Amino acid sequence: MPVKPHSKDLSSLFTEATKRRRSSPLKPLLKYMQADPTLVSLGAGLPHPDTFPFISVTATVAEAGKSSVDATARHVDVSIAARAPTAVTEGLERFLQYGNGRGVASYAGFAQEHTERVHSPLYDDWDVVVSAGNTDAFVKALMLFCQSGDTLIVDEWTYPAIIETVGPMNIGLAPVQMDNEGIVPAALDSLCLNWSADAPRPRVAYMIPTAQNPTGATMSMQRKQAIYEVAKKHDLVIIEDDPYYYLQFGEYRPVGETADAEDRYSDLPGVTALIPSLLSMDTDGRVIRLDSFSKILAPGLRCGWITAPKYMTDKIQFHNETS
């Protein structure tokens, strides 16, 4: 099996605040406090788990591939109990206790395993850090490289929440022409080549490759490859915000007026025929991928994760530890 290369070091593009971020001094103490279950620690402000009033948490869910309102769906009970770790999860007390900013180990482990299976990053030092959904992830990723007075490259029609997020941060937006597949590579190249504004040249481009909000545009593999080449040429970091990735419908095929929606099921790409992600073609480690369960489980769960080179996810972890 060929050895994967190391990512390119882009830390020179970090903001000064990012360069100064360090792990919270309290977090390394956790391993000592949790090593001895008989220890009652008065350090770091950790409540003793015996004081937690929660004995267990149980959810009844529909079987995979079925809706909760489908009368034929088999119901499955999922339980997590205090002081009762299983082969797949920690005990409930670990979920309820303060963590290390990287996420509960079982959840972070799932995210890493899933990312390897679906995207198989091409460099060896990639890692994941959990997020509270993609808006939280976007802010943490953006603040690695952008500060007041900087400019973020976006689609000419971009996600409205992004506009409201960067406005108070005094980060400008540089819109790029779109077509039915999203950002036009030639337009992105032209923007970077002819940048003459008073603000520093943009270091980050934000895009939603699948079912772009608000236009619905989806990038083909060829479009992603072209965008990535432009990013390499101009040393851009790409924030790949992809919450709709698993809701791909394949190429449009008109059906007759009397056809049932189920007639399209055989055309759906499933997991094996999804359009490859930008992350999957990233050889430099310049793509920060944002994943979320908001569109495929429930948005109120606020569960997501970020994939990037470890030296970047470490900085996001440090940010999580103090936010």
Side-chain angles (χ1 to χ4, degrees), residues 172-196:
L173 297 177
V176 180
Q177 177 190 352
M178 298 176 66
D179 61 14
N180 64 333
E181 289 192 31
I183 282 183
V184 175
L188 176 60
D189 186 39
S190 177
L191 174 80
C192 294
L193 282 172
N194 301 302
W195 186 260
S196 59

Side-chain angles (χ1 to χ4, degrees), residues 24-85:
S24 167
L26 295 176
K27 299 306 177 180
L29 299 176
L30 289 176
K31 62 182 178 182
Y32 301 109
M33 298 173 187
Q34 296 170 345
D36 184 356
T38 66
L39 176 68
V40 178
S41 172
L42 302 180
L46 271 69
H48 195 279
D50 285 353
T51 66
F52 299 163
F54 304 95
I55 297 170
S56 66
V57 174
T58 300
T60 302
V61 300
E63 64 179 307
K66 297 284 187 177
S67 165
S68 60
V69 297
D70 187 339
T72 67
R74 182 172 58 90
H75 292 174
V76 180
D77 289 335
V78 180
S79 296
I80 300 176
R83 291 169 293 281

Side-chain angles (χ1 to χ4, degrees), residues 11 22 62 64 73 78 82 113 126-127 134 143 152 157 166 188 192 208 230 237 256 269 273-274 280 286 292 320:
S11 60
R22 299 291 184 271
V78 180
E113 178 185 341
W126 65 275
D127 204 356
N134 276 18
M143 291 180 69
L152 174 68
W157 300 101
V166 304
L188 176 60
C192 294
I208 306 173
V230 175
V237 173
L274 296 170
S280 72
R286 65 178 64 254
S292 170
N320 287 342

Side-chain angles (χ1 to χ4, degrees), residues 228-304:
Y228 184 73
E229 289 304 315
V230 175
K232 288 175 62 177
K233 176 180 178 181
H234 297 287
D235 211 16
L236 292 173
V237 173
I238 298 174
I239 298 179
E240 180 181 28
D241 186 0
D242 219 358
Y244 303 100
Y245 185 68
Y246 298 99
L247 301 181
Q248 296 181 33
F249 291 95
E251 294 186 12
Y252 172 71
R253 177 174 64 83
V255 296
E257 295 181 3
T258 59
D260 193 284
E262 293 185 2
D263 293 340
R264 287 298 315 276
Y265 285 177
S266 61
D267 293 339
L268 297 180
V271 176
T272 57
L274 296 170
I275 299 171
S277 63
L278 282 159
L279 173 66
S280 72
M281 54 188 70
D282 177 20
T283 54
D284 289 349
R286 65 178 64 254
V287 174
I288 303 177
R289 180 174 172 83
L290 316 183
D291 277 290
S292 170
F293 287 112
S294 291
K295 314 304 180 187
I296 55 177
L297 287 181
L301 292 174
R302 308 315 301 146
C303 288

